């Protein structure tokens, strides 16, 4: 079982710079009601963009680091720093949802039932090679559904449902 993997991180520095980088992170052995998912697909939703790049001016983007561990940096205009001042110096994991294959399952029957299955996953930190999550964060996909097809099974449908329900309540 893998115990480490790469994860996309977003960092705002005090010199008005956004840095996107791949960091190696450790993840735990799944508990009884948890599974380890090998992430295979993750969408970029508008809600992901706020954390991913925030107010950075991506026309200033530049690449450093190595081919294995690139770092993308971009300037944040001084007038926009107030929006992100609370996250200066914090390397934050990105990605609200995704999908992949369960490769390790905890000992509960419900976790074991997901072993080897392709699942949609919600819960943050999904722009990663692996993600250890509670079984309640997983949606088993129908046989033959690819991770790419199931990667947007939470945020986009719930946004659409919320919009329709709000429009109904407001008599639109």
């Amino acid at each position: 079982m893998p115990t480490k993997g790469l994860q996309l991180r977003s960092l705002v520095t005090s010199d008005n710079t956004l840095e996107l980088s791949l960091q190696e992170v450790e993840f735990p052995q799944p508990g009884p009601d948890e599974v380890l998912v090998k992430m295979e697909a993750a969408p970029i939703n508008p809600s992901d963009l706020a954390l991913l790049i925030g107010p950075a001016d991506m026309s200033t983007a530049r690449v450093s680091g190595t081919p294995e561990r690139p770092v993308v940096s971009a300037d944040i205009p001084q007038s926009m720093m107030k929006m992100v001042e609370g996250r200066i110096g914090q390397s934050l994991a990105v990605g609200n949802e995704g999908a992949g294959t369960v490769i390790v399952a905890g000992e509960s029957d419900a976790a074991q039932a997901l072993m080897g299955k392709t699942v949609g996953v919600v819960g943050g930190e999904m722009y990663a090679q692996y993600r250890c999550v509670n079984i309640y964060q997983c949606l088993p996909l129908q046989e033959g559904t690819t991770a790419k097809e199931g990667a947007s099974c939470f945020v986009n449908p719930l946004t659409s449902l919320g919009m329709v329900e709000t429009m109904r309540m407001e008599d639109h």
Side-chain angles (χ1 to χ4, degrees):
M1 177 189 104
T3 59
K4 295 180 183 180
L6 295 178
Q7 183 179 74
L8 182 62
R9 309 289 292 197
S10 176
L11 169 71
V12 173
T13 65
S14 60
D15 67 349
N16 299 24
T17 303
L18 168 81
E19 291 182 358
L20 300 175
S21 63
L22 292 174
Q23 301 291 322
E24 186 172 72
V25 296
E26 292 186 24
F27 40 84
Q29 172 84 18
D33 287 325
E34 294 179 324
V35 293
L36 182 64
V37 180
K38 182 177 190 288
M39 299 304 298
E40 298 164 5
I44 298 178
N45 294 302
S47 56
D48 292 312
L49 291 174
L51 180 58
L52 183 65
I53 59 173
D57 178 358
M58 295 310 289
S59 71
T60 67
R62 54 212 172 268
V63 178
S64 61
T66 67
E68 296 80 27
R69 298 284 175 85
V71 176
V72 176
S73 301
D75 299 329
I76 300 173
Q78 180 61 44
S79 62
M80 305 298 270
M81 282 299 290
K82 187 117 178 107
M83 292 175 60
V84 292
E85 68 185 0
R87 54 178 283 214
I88 291 174
Q90 297 180 50
S91 178
L92 302 174
V94 184
N96 288 318
E97 67 181 328
T101 303
V102 174
I103 61 170
V104 180
E107 61 195 44
S108 74
D109 290 343
Q112 286 294 312
L114 294 176
M115 187 64 193
K117 298 212 184 291
T118 303
V119 294
V121 188
V122 69
E125 302 181 18
M126 297 298 161
Y127 296 172
Q129 289 178 307
Y130 302 95
R131 188 73 170 85
C132 184
V133 297
N134 188 284
I135 56 173
Y136 296 110
Q137 293 171 263
C138 298
L139 176 66
L141 301 175
Q142 287 186 327
E143 186 74 30
T145 303
T146 67
K148 183 178 176 181
E149 292 168 332
S152 293
C153 63
F154 288 99
V155 176
N156 289 337
L158 290 177
T159 300
S160 298
L161 180 61
M163 290 173 65
V164 169
E165 291 299 315
T166 298
M167 289 170 34
R168 283 184 183 145
M169 287 188 319
E170 295 177 354
D171 294 323
H172 290 278

